Structure formats: C-alpha cells, structure tokens
Amino acid sequence: MKLSLCFVCICIMQLTNGAPAESSLNDEEKEALQLINDLNEEMNSLSNRNYVAEWAFASNITDENEKHKNEVQAETAKQTRELVKKLQKFNWREFKNEDLKRQYKLSTKLGYAILDDDDFKDLLENLSKMETNYAKVKICAHLNRTKCDLSLEPHIQTIIVRSRDPEELKYTWTQWYDAAGKPVRKNFEKYIELKTKAAKLSNYTSGAEEWLDEYEDETFEKQVEDVLTDLKPFYEQLHGYVRWRLRQKYGDLHVSEKGPIPIHLLGNIWGQTWGEIANLVAPFPNKPMVNVNAEMKAQGITPLKMFQMGDEFFQSINMTKLPKSFWENSILEKPKDGRELVCHASAWDFYSQDDVRIKQCTEVTQEQLSVVHHELGHIQYFLQYQHLPHVYRSGANPGFHEAVGDVLALSVSTPKHLEKIGLLKDYKPDEEARINQLFLTALDKVAFLPFAYTMDKYRWQILRGELKPEEWNCGFWKLRDQYSGLEPPVKRTEDDFDAPAKYHISADVEYLRYFVSFIIQFQFYKAACVKSGQYEPGNPELPLDNCDFYGSPEAGNAFKEMLSLGASKPWPDAMEVFTGERKMSGAALREYFEPLMNWLKAENEKNKVHIGWEKSDKCG
Ligand code: X95
Ligand code: ZN
C-alpha cells in the first residue's frame, strides 16, 4: 500500500500522540497502523450508538426504550465482533512498536461482545431487569403505611440521613433491601452464569480476573489487600469511637459495646460513608464542624448553580470549560413529569466531539455538591482525552476516573475554600475544630475503604466459585462484618438477597475502582497542593488538610498532563507525570489524617473504648 511520506509521519504522530515512534514500523505494522486508524471512526460511532440508546433508556425507563436499547447493543456487539476479527488478523503480540501493540492489545478485548447473539441478548435482558427493578423501587413510609410512593432519591435517602428514630430507620432499611434485592435473584444468577461464560471465552479464569485485568498488574489484588491491611488499625480506631458515641446516643438496646455497628444508624443505607451522622458523633460538639446545607438553601443555590460552581473551579485551574452541549443535553434535576428513570448519578461520554453529559437527580446539599464534583471529574477526563484514538479514550485505570472529581471535592470541602465562596462564615479555626474537620472527612473517606473492597471481594468470590449460591446472602453479610464491622439491623437469611440493593451490584459496575480512587486521590491532592504552593511539609501555616488549590494553573496544568494521556500509557507512567510516584500508596492518606489518628488513639485509650468487634449473628 503506497503511503505518501507526510501521511506516514502524520500517522506516526497520531499513533504515539505526538511522541516520535519508538522504532520504525515494519511492513506488517504499517498495514496494521493503517487499519486501526481507518477503523477509529467506526469504533467511535459504535460507542456513540450504544450510549445514545442507553441514555434514552436510563433517562426514561419504558419497555420500548429498554427493548430498543437491547436491540441496538446486540447489533453493535455483532459489528464489534466483525471489526475485532479484522484486527486479530495481525500477529500484534509480535509488534515491535510499543504504542501500536498497546492499541491492538486494548482494541481486541471483546468483553460481553464475545458471547453469541442469544447469550448476549439474554445477558442484556437480565441486566436491564436488575437495573429497572432498582430504579423503580417504591416503599411505604414507616409513620404512614398507606403512603407507598417513596423512592430512593430523594425520599429514602432523606429519611436515612435525617431520622434519629431507630424504628423508622430499621423499617426503611428493611423495606429497601426487601424490594431492591430479593426480586432479582434469578436475574442475578443468569448474569453470573453469562458473565462467567464471556470471561472464559476470553481466556480469563473467571469474571474476577477479567475485571482485575483493567489494572494491568497481576499483583494488583495483593497491593490492594496490603493497603487495606496497612490502614486497618486506623479504621478500627474510627469504628470503635463511632460505636462508642452511637451507644451514648441510642443506648445498649441498639448499639452493643463490642459487637458490629448496625447499618441503619450510620446515615447511609449501605453504611458506605458515615458523614451524614457527623453532628451526632463529633469529637468536639461545641466546636465548629463544617455543614453548609442550611447556608446553601439560605442562599437559594440551585442544582444548576452547583454545576456552575464546579465548572468554575476547573476553569480556575486552567482546565477545560464545560461545552455548551453539556448544558443543553444534561439532566441535572429529577424530572417532574412522573417518568421512571435511573436517578443514580452518572457521567456520560458519547465518543464524539464535546458530547459529554451528566444525569443526576440533584438535591441542594453539601453531600450532593461533592457528587457534582465527582461527576464533573469524569466529564473533565472525557474532555482531556477526546483527541486520542478511540481505544485510549478511557482512564489510565478505572480508579483514575473515579479520583479526578474527588480531588477537587477535597479542596472544596476545606474551611478555607468554603469561606472563599461565602458558604462558611465566622469560622474560628483551632486544633479542636481541625480534629472535627479531619473526623468529618474520615467518616467519608476512611469508613468507605473496607466497604469498597467488599463490594468486589464478594463478587470475586462468587465468580471464582468460592461462594456457593446457597450461601450468597450470608456470604455477603459475612464480608461486611469481617471487613467493616457492620451488620444488618434485622436478622437476614438465605431467603433474602441483599447485595443488589447496592446500585453497582444491580448495574454490573465494578467497584474496586472506588477503593483505588480513595487511595490515589490523596496522592493526586497532595501533588496539586505542592504544585500550587498550598502545602509545605512541616509548615503549620500550610497543612495538607486545609489546602485549597483553587485558582492554581500550576496544579491544573500538571493534572491535565496526566489526564490527557487517557489509557495510552500504563497507569504508573500516568501517575508519575503528576505525582512523581509509580505506585498506589496509602502514605498520602495517612499523612493527611495524621493528627486525627493520634487523637483517636489517645481518646479511645482514655475512654477505654473497645477496639474491634465480635462476629455478627444477624445472618443464618
Ligand atoms: C459514578 O461513579 C457512579 C455511577 C454506568 C457506569 C452507570 C458507571 C457509576 C456508573 C453508572 O459516577 N447519590 N455514581 C448517588 C451518587 C452516585 C455517584 O456511585 C457513585 C456515583 O454511590 O457508590 C461523592 C459521592 C464522591 C459518592 C465515590 C461512590 N458514587 C457510590 C463515590 C464519591 C462517591 C458512590 N466517590
Ligand atoms: Zn464515578
């Protein structure tokens, strides 16, 4: 195939996103490069068609939209199989050029598309049933059993956050789990069967290995366990203190001295973050602990304003402004037209140019402001890598994508920033207020770690055949007990099926990404704070936990350098560009929480707080 000189050099430039090719291409590689460049547009349009149909369904759940989505996805899966067959004609594992080899390695992963038509359709139908069930759940109010139109967002979440009545919390918790989990047991069984079949067809030993392959490091599972073990003493101190304070509030009847904490009292229906009960367990109740909910409402802040605030932060650090199409196409509030939709917030890339959207049933609260930043972090990453070949338009690893927005949210949540934007007034900082602030952040960031780990540990055990179907429910609660020291508020049995009551388990969304994110986001945050001069090790005037890198182009430019790589390099290379490190490490998180760790240990000793928990007897 005659290639004009300038065309080859353009290809090579595009191939290695600007960097000169490591080695000149041999004939087979030249042909392979030509092919993958030619197919790039088709890969983008296949993804675009997929997400257009998915968006139509997720933003308006009807039988027709579900059917249409499943048909489109079956059709694009077939076309993807054809396309990959062409790529697989090349012996790409022998390629000399690293970048071309990487593009082929990533492009030839079929995922579920490796299934034949019938199995693929069967899998899609079961996935849709689980997601639809979750989205449509309505339960009755504890205090008025004839009022049975309560949905998760906003009604059930609001009860779990605000109620201090253990009976109301217990009833609401149980209604949700009974309605969101058990009805999809059969669908979940079929999903596991077909997920397993697809993984084995791709020569993975199980679906767990297919998920873990996204981290491109066969020691990654071990690295995760080591980080969790390293932070376990800190978690146990936090858990012990919170249980001790909850006992003071609810008494021995509801909270035992040495047993697991019942989940319904933690301000989150899954017990994944505990920030919503901060005012109940604050270390220094007479000192400030930042809560801007009232101020947000008093100032008439709207969901739209919350997204404009997030957009403004990204622009202030010289990152990309949201395109017009974002504001035109996004759904930023729960529609009032009574339609059923997936309210669980999410960010969408339509693999075109600037077509990026968020769908979120936004409420005006501080917690939702961090969700807004979380979702905008995905959008920013989409925009930073949209110039790359299709196959590189994803995160360096799934954890990177989850971390971007949370890094900004860490900065936004500081008293320094909240004062800057007028949400926090007459804040009197002192060492006790600082402990309160660190404690509030730990209730979200540290409590979350064992939760995130168990969401995938559970599914790995099932996918690896280590957990038999007749023990799927108590196997779930056993992990929640072992790693988090939490338990259901009521007895559960194998007649129940509670795991799909968590969105990501109903929606087949891998969860290890959030564990990774909650570790690396502190590495990224520390890098941004150093680059912006907002943190100096050892300088009490510039501590890490009050760093606000808002308005710093130095921080944003370094962030962009990493994000604009997309998946074009292994994630250690991407991390190194921003932080200088090549490993996921809990050190930055420990450095951030150092003062709190010391305070908790001393306080728990002083109060003779029991550390650790006895086995739960709530499932069996
Ligand atoms: C996300 O990661 C997910 C959506 C298809 C693929 C569809 C992937 C994942 C998804 C959906 O953006 N009120 N949503 C619910 C807010 C949900 C926001 O799952 C998510 C988000 O619920 O386990 C602030 C708040 C910072 C929450 C990590 C985990 N978020 C969850 C989480 C956060 C989080 C949390 N960082
Ligand atoms: Zn996310």
Side-chain angles (χ1 to χ4, degrees):
M1 176 177 297
K2 277 287 294 144
L3 285 173
S4 70
L5 193 61
C6 73
F7 187 62
V8 168
C9 73
I10 288 167
C11 285
I12 290 175
M13 288 299 280
Q14 181 185 31
L15 172 75
T16 51
N17 47 70
E22 287 94 19
S23 62
S24 66
L25 304 176
N26 63 39
D27 288 351
E28 192 196 15
E29 288 174 336
K30 278 194 192 96
E31 209 187 317
L33 169 64
Q34 178 68 54
L35 176 65
I36 201 161
N37 285 342
D38 289 346
L39 294 175
N40 198 60
E41 265 331 293
E42 186 181 342
M43 287 190 259
N44 281 332
S45 82
L46 283 171
S47 293
N48 178 270
R49 267 185 276 140
N50 243 355
Y51 286 114
V52 166
E54 178 93 42
W55 174 270
F57 164 69
S59 48
N60 182 12
I61 299 176
T62 62
D63 292 347
E64 183 197 343
N65 285 343
E66 180 178 347
K67 188 165 163 294
H68 175 69
K69 171 187 77 79
N70 291 348
E71 281 162 4
V72 167
Q73 292 186 340
E75 178 50 35
T76 54
K78 200 204 303 269
Q79 291 175 22
T80 303
R81 276 196 296 281
E82 297 314 311
L83 186 149
V84 167
K85 269 189 201 118
K86 290 181 193 162
L87 296 172
Q88 281 172 329
K89 272 210 314 285
F90 291 100
N91 198 356
W92 55 268
R93 287 178 182 76
E94 308 304 322
F95 283 169
K96 294 278 171 303
N97 184 285
E98 280 313 309
D99 190 82
L100 186 62
K101 183 153 65 172
R102 183 172 181 79
Q103 286 202 47
Y104 267 76
K105 179 187 127 183
L106 298 179
S107 303
T108 50
K109 284 183 185 174
L110 273 171
Y112 293 147
I114 201 161
L115 293 169
D116 67 30
D117 267 2
D118 293 349
D119 283 343
F120 189 83
K121 282 198 174 85
D122 195 0
L123 174 59
L124 277 190
E125 266 146 37
N126 283 284
L127 286 171
S128 300
K129 285 293 167 274
M130 291 195 291
E131 178 128 39
T132 299
N133 176 70
Y134 185 97
K136 287 183 167 180
V137 166
K138 302 289 184 293
I139 68 168
C140 305
H142 170 60
L143 302 170
N144 170 2
R145 300 294 168 93
T146 64
K147 180 171 179 36
C148 297
D149 62 350
L150 303 185
S151 54
L152 179 67
E153 300 190 36
H155 311 111
I156 297 171
Q157 299 276 55
T158 303
I159 293 166
I160 297 294
V161 163
R162 291 202 190 137
S163 173
R164 297 291 180 254
D165 167 6
E167 289 316 310
E168 178 177 35
L169 289 166
K170 187 180 292 188
Y171 175 85
T172 307
W173 187 95
T174 309
Q175 290 290 302
W176 168 256
Y177 277 77
D178 288 351
K182 189 170 179 174
V184 297
R185 170 78 194 213
K186 285 286 163 247
N187 307 109
F188 192 83
E189 286 173 1
K190 190 52 131 172
Y191 152 68
I192 291 294
E193 178 199 323
L194 292 170
K195 187 180 188 68
T196 300
K197 187 169 184 178
K200 292 190 190 299
L201 283 170
S202 292
N203 300 319
Y204 291 104
T205 48
S206 86
E209 281 65 41
E210 183 160 24
W211 264 347
L212 283 161
D213 191 35
E214 290 300 300
Y215 299 91
E216 298 184 274
D217 178 342
E218 72 282 350
T219 70
F220 200 74
E221 187 177 348
K222 174 77 171 59
Q223 288 175 44
V224 165
E225 282 163 8
D226 291 349
V227 167
L228 190 61
T229 305
D230 175 55
L231 293 170
K232 189 164 182 265
F234 183 14
Y235 177 78
E236 287 178 339
Q237 291 293 326
L238 181 69
H239 174 278
Y241 184 81
V242 167
R243 177 178 53 196
W244 177 64
R245 293 297 305 277
L246 283 176
R247 261 168 72 75
Q248 290 169 350
K249 163 81 188 169
Y250 289 109
D252 190 52
L253 177 67
H254 298 285
V255 187
S256 72
E257 187 198 0
K258 300 182 178 176
I261 302 174
I263 289 178
H264 66 314
L265 303 178
L266 289 166
N268 176 281
I269 202 155
W270 306 283
Q272 70 186 60
T273 48
W274 309 343
E276 296 290 359
I277 58 160
N279 58 351
L280 221 56
V281 295
F284 300 99
N286 307 322
K287 288 294 177 76
M289 180 180 257
V290 172
N291 182 322
V292 295
N293 287 334
E295 193 53 36
M296 287 176 77
K297 293 193 173 64
Q299 295 187 18
I301 288 180
T302 61
L304 179 65
K305 174 69 180 164
M306 291 160 73
F307 283 90
Q308 290 165 338
M309 290 160 73
D311 182 30
E312 215 274 312
F313 195 121
F314 277 105
Q315 292 184 60
S316 84
I317 58 175
N318 197 32
M319 294 183 93
T320 304
K321 174 184 163 77
L322 291 170
K324 202 159 60 69
S325 58
F326 170 85
W327 301 106
E328 287 160 355
N329 300 324
S330 291
I331 294 175
L332 303 182
E333 289 189 62
K334 186 170 190 174
K336 296 183 174 52
D337 57 10
R339 76 171 90 157
E340 295 285 2
L341 79 160
V342 176
C343 256
H344 187 94
S346 53
W348 298 59
D349 185 357
F350 287 83
Y351 285 92
S352 173
Q353 175 68 23
D354 284 348
D355 190 351
V356 289
R357 309 174 197 177
I358 283 172
K359 176 172 55 56
Q360 180 172 342
C361 302
T362 311
E363 295 293 311
V364 181
T365 68
Q366 179 170 324
E367 186 269 342
Q368 285 278 296
L369 188 60
S370 67
V371 176
V372 164
H373 284 85
H374 177 85
E375 299 308 334
L376 286 175
H378 289 300
I379 299 293
Q380 186 64 217
Y381 213 167
F382 298 150
L383 296 171
Q384 286 301 330
Y385 58 50
Q386 66 177 344
H387 65 286
L388 293 178
H390 175 83
V391 74
Y392 288 155
R393 291 175 72 168
S394 80
N397 78 36
F400 277 57
H401 234 298
E402 299 310 330
V404 180
D406 288 12
V407 172
L408 275 79
L410 281 170
S411 193
V412 168
S413 70
T414 60
K416 187 182 286 182
H417 186 80
L418 292 170
E419 280 180 319
K420 223 177 263 179
I421 60 176
L423 277 179
L424 179 64
K425 296 173 173 129
D426 14 303
Y427 179 78
K428 292 180 186 47
D430 64 22
E431 260 321 285
E432 293 181 348
R434 184 189 187 199
I435 293 294
N436 272 358
Q437 192 58 27
L438 283 167
F439 187 83
L440 173 62
T441 308
L443 288 179
D444 281 345
K445 298 297 181 182
V446 179
F448 184 82
L449 295 170
F451 167 81
Y453 179 67
T454 54
M455 287 304 107
D456 276 4
K457 177 92 178 162
Y458 174 66
R459 291 184 282 184
W460 296 340
Q461 286 182 341
I462 290 178
L463 290 164
R464 288 168 172 161
E466 293 163 5
L467 200 56
K468 291 187 291 300
E470 56 274 16
E471 45 186 16
W472 278 5
N473 205 44
C474 291
F476 177 74
W477 291 117
K478 189 160 167 269
L479 288 169
R480 299 294 302 117
D481 175 26
Q482 180 185 343
Y483 286 95
S484 290
L486 305 185
E487 65 177 10
V490 295
K491 191 117 176 70
R492 304 306 277 177
T493 70
E494 287 302 339
D495 255 1
D496 303 308
F497 188 45
D498 296 318
K502 173 61 194 167
Y503 173 79
H504 298 65
I505 294 182
S506 277
D508 179 33
V509 178
E510 182 254 22
Y511 212 86
L512 189 69
R513 62 185 65 177
Y514 300 103
F515 180 92
V516 172
S517 161
F518 276 48
I519 300 299
I520 64 176
Q521 65 185 243
F522 284 92
Q523 295 174 260
F524 296 163
Y525 176 66
K526 182 178 169 184
C529 292
V530 169
K531 300 258 182 208
S532 58
Q534 290 307 310
Y535 162 62
E536 279 169 21
N539 176 352
E541 291 307 305
L542 290 172
L544 185 54
D545 57 297
N546 201 18
C547 147
D548 175 20
F549 60 86
Y550 177 85
S552 163
E554 296 80 9
N557 291 339
F559 213 160
K560 278 193 299 192
E561 243 193 285
M562 176 175 81
L563 299 184
S564 59
L565 289 174
S568 66
K569 298 279 186 225
W571 67 262
D573 296 354
M575 177 184 278
E576 187 170 34
V577 155
F578 189 19
T579 73
E581 299 159 316
R582 297 183 55 81
K583 277 192 166 321
M584 167 175 70
S585 158
L589 182 149
R590 297 170 66 92
E591 184 180 338
Y592 180 98
F593 287 109
E594 182 77 25
L596 177 68
M597 284 196 281
N598 299 331
W599 181 86
L600 270 176
K601 208 156 161 23
E603 190 69 9
N604 284 337
E605 259 156 35
K606 187 175 77 180
N607 300 312
K608 296 187 181 18
V609 169
H610 180 75
I611 302 300
W613 51 87
E614 293 154 350
K615 269 193 186 6
S616 169
D617 60 358
K618 282 287 188 311
C619 197

